[in-house]
Amino acid sequence: FFGIDYTTTFISSKEYLSLGDGDGECPNCIEESADPFPDPADPNNMISPLWNDLDLTAGGNITYKYVMDMPDKFVTQWTEVPENAPFEDDTNTFQVALYFESGCIEFRYKSLTLRPGQISIGVENSDGTEGRNIPTDGIVEGSPTCVRLCYDGTNYDVVDVTGDPL
């Protein structure tokens, strides 16, 4: 990730992955905010398919698996996770896939109910100085989508946006 190999991943209930040591949680962060990437404020070293404050205590789940089927990848899925009150009947299903050999990342969206401006989508390095912010227009409002990012040696670039969902 950003040219560094990691062996540990933390899956946050706030809809992001954090790589490296520690648990990745950020107790002093205003996690509901839609801060753009990059940002040196915590949390950093993150992969965010949908950074927001959804409510896993109200339903839904997070699953993950290592898929060994050339290309090998690590997939994390948030399934039917509701928004906080008063929108708890609105649920969201999405994935992030980390491809080991290429280093590419896919954000895959099946159904989202969040409104633009409420979320941040993107990636950020360990000190928050490099990253890529993904515009949410079309992802939140549109039909199922897959956004593919690949590392070019200095940053991640969007290389493909398709209608291929989960």
Side-chain angles (χ1 to χ4, degrees), residues 21-36:
D21 295 334
D23 63 7
E25 282 294 356
C26 183
N28 298 321
C29 294
I30 301 173
E31 310 253 20
E32 299 85 8
S33 68
D35 296 333

Side-chain angles (χ1 to χ4, degrees), residues 1-165:
F1 184 63
F2 283 94
I4 300 171
D5 291 333
Y6 291 94
T7 58
T8 58
T9 302
F10 173 79
I11 302 170
S12 172
S13 62
K14 305 302 181 190
E15 301 74 52
Y16 64 84
L17 304 181
S18 178
L19 302 173
D21 295 334
D23 63 7
E25 282 294 356
C26 183
N28 298 321
C29 294
I30 301 173
E31 310 253 20
E32 299 85 8
S33 68
D35 296 333
F37 299 100
D39 183 347
D42 286 337
N44 291 316
N45 220 30
M46 65 189 292
I47 298 169
S48 172
L50 190 77
W51 188 18
N52 188 274
D53 191 16
L54 300 181
D55 188 0
L56 279 162
T57 64
N61 62 61
I62 301 173
T63 56
Y64 61 91
K65 65 181 173 178
Y66 176 71
V67 181
M68 297 172 45
D69 69 348
M70 297 309 289
D72 293 355
K73 57 191 159 286
F74 179 77
V75 179
T76 305
Q77 179 166 316
W78 289 259
T79 304
E80 297 184 3
V81 181
E83 293 185 50
N84 282 312
F87 303 107
E88 62 272 2
D89 292 334
D90 296 338
T91 64
N92 302 274
T93 299
F94 54 96
Q95 289 180 343
V96 60
L98 310 178
Y99 288 83
F100 293 111
E101 191 168 318
S102 69
C104 292
I105 299 167
E106 286 183 353
F107 297 143
R108 304 169 181 169
Y109 304 95
K110 182 176 182 182
S111 62
L112 298 179
T113 57
L114 295 165
R115 280 138 289 301
Q118 292 181 306
I119 62 171
S120 288
I121 298 171
V123 297
E124 183 174 273
N125 70 354
S126 61
D127 63 4
T129 57
E130 297 289 334
R132 178 68 58 216
N133 197 59
I134 308 299
T136 59
D137 297 345
I139 293 173
V140 176
E141 301 165 348
S143 57
T145 304
C146 176
V147 177
R148 186 172 176 83
L149 303 157
C150 293
Y151 187 64
D152 67 6
T154 58
N155 208 339
Y156 279 83
D157 288 322
V158 175
V159 295
D160 194 22
V161 178
T162 67
D164 298 333

